[in-house]
Amino acid sequence: FDLSPFEGIASDQWLKGTVLATPAFGAFVKVTEPNSGATATGLVNKMNIKWGFLKSVEDELEIAQEVNVKVLSVDAGKLFLSMLKETAAQNFSFESIPS
């Protein structure tokens, strides 16, 4: 897969994506690069789906769901994505962690 169209995308640019699979460790999302129309499948790690504790990926996402993602990195032929909207300092509280 040629991921070069995704290498120059700004880290604050949101892309539309579609959830293809939800394994226990995250979600595979198909994204389209807006300028070239190139498509690729990237991984949103479980910790980059939402702030706080996420018991199960299926609690937050489902197959074919439309999502907004940002490109974290393109590394070793893999596309890494995030769905997080703010920094941890803005949105994190210890109250959100189950005891």
Side-chain angles (χ1 to χ4, degrees):
F1 298 104
D2 179 17
L3 297 176
S4 59
F6 295 91
E7 291 175 347
I9 294 179
S11 61
D12 61 348
Q13 182 176 350
W14 291 96
L15 303 174
K16 297 275 185 206
T18 305
V19 177
L20 299 178
T22 55
F25 54 84
F28 287 103
V29 175
K30 180 179 180 180
V31 292
T32 301
E33 197 281 328
N35 296 320
S36 69
T39 61
T41 300
L43 173 65
V44 181
N45 188 288
K46 187 175 177 178
M47 68 182 183
N48 289 316
I49 292 175
K50 70 175 236 172
W51 293 112
F53 179 74
L54 180 60
K55 182 177 180 183
S56 169
V57 176
E58 291 85 11
D59 290 345
E60 194 70 22
L61 299 172
E62 57 188 49
I63 305 300
Q65 180 178 341
E66 298 290 320
V67 294
N68 291 315
V69 295
K70 296 185 284 187
V71 174
L72 289 179
S73 67
V74 178
D75 185 37
K78 295 180 182 171
L79 181 62
F80 296 96
L81 306 168
S82 174
M83 293 173 56
L84 300 179
K85 291 185 173 62
E86 300 111 12
T87 65
Q90 292 174 321
N91 200 23
F92 181 78
S93 71
F94 284 101
E95 288 78 29
S96 66
I97 299 174
S99 48

